[in-house]
Each structure stands twice: as C-alpha cells, then as structure tokens.
Amino acid sequence: MSPNGKQPVEIIDWGALFEDPSKPLVVDLGCGAGRYILLMAHRNGRRQNYLGVDVHKALLDRANGWAAARSLSDSVHYLQANAVASASVLFGSYPGPIELVSIQYPDPQQRRQRHVVGRELVEALASVLKPGARVYLASDFEDTATYMRNAFELYGAGRFCVDDIHATQLVFPCKPLTTLVKTREPSSVGTLFMREKTRTRDGVRQQGPVSVATAGPNEATSEGEPGDPGQEGRGASSVDEDELLWFQGSWQQAGWLGENPIGVPTEREVYVEKATMGRVYRILLVR
C-alpha cells in the first residue's frame, strides 16, 4: 500500500490479498465507496477477483469491512494507491489474467489540472494488458467521456479498439465537436466544464479541432511544409493532453452505448438515469 495514496506502490503481495490470485481480475480505478465491485462480486460469485483502487483510505477501510461482513474478502479487496503512478505494478505484476478495467465518473474538474486518464495511464495499460482484456469508460459528462476515449485512441499505440458490442447494442451518436464545445447543458449533478480552445501557431490565433496524421521527412503535411506537421497534421504522440478533447479520431463513429455493457450499475449511474433522467456516455474497448 502507498503510505498516503499519492506515491507509487512498489510491490503487491497478491497472495495476501486474494485466496487464489490466478483467477481473472476485475479492477475499478477510482472506486470511491467501492459498492460497484462489491455488487459485481455478489452477482457473479467467486469466478473472478475484484480490486478497487482509490486514494481515500477511509472509504477503502469501510469497503474492506463490507467485503469481510459479506464473506467476500477472499476475492474482493480495496487498495489505497495512485492509479496513474502505480499502473505498471498494479497491472504488470498480477499472476492471473486481467479481464476488465473500469474507469467511471472521474471528477470532470480534474482535467483542469491533470486527468486520471492521460498519456501515462493509457501507455501503461497498453503495455501490460493482454489481448482480450477490456476497458470500460463511463461518465455523465460527454466532454469527460470524450477526453477519456480520445486518450486511449491517441496514446494506446494501436493496441485498443472499440468492442464489437457497439455494433450489436443500442448506441446514440457522439455530439458534434462544435455543439459539444459551444453548448452549456444544465445538469442537476454539475456543469459541463467546457470552453473554447484557442491555439496559436506562428503568431496566428486558431480555433478548431486538432487533426492528427503522420508525415515522413519528405512528405507534405496539411500545412504544405515537408516533414513539419506543426499544430495541424501532427503525429498522435505529439498531441498534448490539454488538446485531447479536440482530437477527431475514428472511434467517435462508434457512438456511446445506450445501456451498461457490464450489467452492474454504479450508484452514480442509477441516480443520473433514474432520478434525473439524464444520460450516461459509455464506451467499451478491447485490447
């Protein structure tokens, strides 16, 4: 365990956390109170192990108490750790296969400083997850869901794709970028943290999306300059995290899932969809 939840976890004794660490693992990053994986374990039984990760020790201590009270502590555990700093250890050292990683309802204000889903986390997951592992992203703020989706498309080194479930289940379209940026949608659970993005290149103020392409040393880019992608037509790895919202990739064509593909809701999801009749923006990726 990290001493304060902010430093990287150096080593994890998986045998001390789970009775059988060879079972498939489900991980909920930013698990909060932890009810999501507790409900999943109750419904699915002990076929899998379940790990909740968060930085708030008081919530995790209470959640571990709940798991023990329900005789689930042999397969359910909550760990205090910084998910970004500890990603390689969390996912690279587990003895069994990692079946699912969930990242749901991160605080949209965090993106103003540093979003939990950024280059560092995505690159770590891309390098350690095995083919077939799934990543589930969800938010009730479309800009936050878009930011997370774009991070995986840009920084995943081509190792992730949209799950086929998007072709077989009900989906609704992603909002066009111009509408997403200019609209301030009232919400009973918060306000969309959106603003017009102004970018500068060679002293010229520009507004609009970032298009990503790669160009060889002698190939013309969208600016018509050989080998100098500049702000437009840049390689994916050079797109800054504060421009992720503006990236227009191919995954947006898959739309958002209209129903929860995992079958287990969080409290936030129930509140948004049932109490406020709001909308949740979901996407399921596969390694």
Side-chain angles (χ1 to χ4, degrees), residues 19-283:
E19 183 179 63
D20 182 2
S22 67
K23 291 180 180 179
L25 181 66
V26 172
V27 184
D28 187 27
L29 297 182
C31 65
R35 293 183 177 92
Y36 167 69
I37 60 171
L38 198 64
L39 177 59
M40 188 182 296
H42 176 74
R43 289 186 177 182
N44 297 346
R46 289 174 167 79
R47 183 184 69 82
Q48 302 158 307
N49 289 326
Y50 304 87
L51 180 70
V53 180
D54 207 289
V55 297
H56 300 291
K57 186 176 184 299
L59 292 177
L60 301 176
D61 288 344
R62 184 179 65 177
N64 278 319
W66 287 342
R70 289 160 177 78
S71 301
L72 292 171
S73 55
D74 58 344
S75 59
V76 177
H77 187 79
Y78 298 88
L79 180 71
Q80 185 186 23
N82 181 304
V84 176
S86 306
S88 296
V89 175
L90 284 172
F91 301 106
S93 65
Y94 185 70
I98 297 175
E99 194 167 87
L100 174 69
V101 177
S102 294
I103 307 172
Q104 303 178 76
Y105 309 98
D107 185 350
Q109 295 187 36
Q110 289 294 323
R111 197 184 60 253
R112 290 185 169 183
Q113 299 175 1
R114 188 185 186 195
H115 202 292
V116 63
V117 180
R119 183 194 301 268
E120 187 175 351
L121 178 64
V122 173
E123 288 181 346
L125 291 176
S127 65
V128 299
L129 291 183
K130 304 300 182 185
R134 283 173 166 75
V135 177
Y136 175 53
L137 309 173
S139 177
D140 51 324
F141 294 89
E142 188 168 8
D143 68 324
T144 301
T146 299
Y147 186 97
M148 293 192 292
R149 180 199 66 205
N150 289 352
F152 274 89
E153 185 172 4
L154 269 172
Y155 303 139
R159 295 176 180 173
F160 294 99
C161 63
V162 177
D163 193 274
D164 290 342
I165 196 172
H166 281 257
T168 60
Q169 283 199 5
L170 175 68
V171 298
F172 57 92
C174 301
K175 190 176 295 183
L177 179 68
T178 53
T179 305
L180 182 66
V181 170
K182 294 179 180 179
T183 300
R184 300 296 191 274
E185 293 184 350
S187 170
S188 60
V189 293
T191 304
L192 280 177
F193 293 93
M194 302 293 301
R195 61 183 175 85
E196 289 285 353
K197 175 75 173 179
T198 301
R199 295 178 289 110
T200 303
R201 182 173 186 266
D202 298 331
V204 179
R205 293 170 63 85
Q206 300 177 351
Q207 287 186 326
V210 175
S211 60
V212 175
T214 57
N218 297 315
E219 295 176 352
T221 67
S222 59
E223 297 288 331
E225 301 171 4
D228 179 20
Q231 191 74 21
E232 304 292 339
R234 298 182 303 176
S237 61
S238 66
V239 175
D240 296 331
E241 290 187 17
D242 63 356
E243 293 181 322
L244 276 176
L245 185 62
W246 292 84
F247 168 63
Q248 293 193 91
S250 61
W251 288 5
Q252 62 185 347
Q253 300 174 12
W256 304 113
L257 289 170
E259 297 180 354
N260 187 325
I262 310 302
V264 178
T266 64
E267 291 175 283
R268 177 89 169 189
E269 177 178 319
V270 173
Y271 173 74
V272 170
E273 293 193 323
K274 304 299 183 182
T276 73
M277 304 303 291
R279 176 167 277 182
V280 174
Y281 305 91
R282 312 176 180 92
I283 186 169

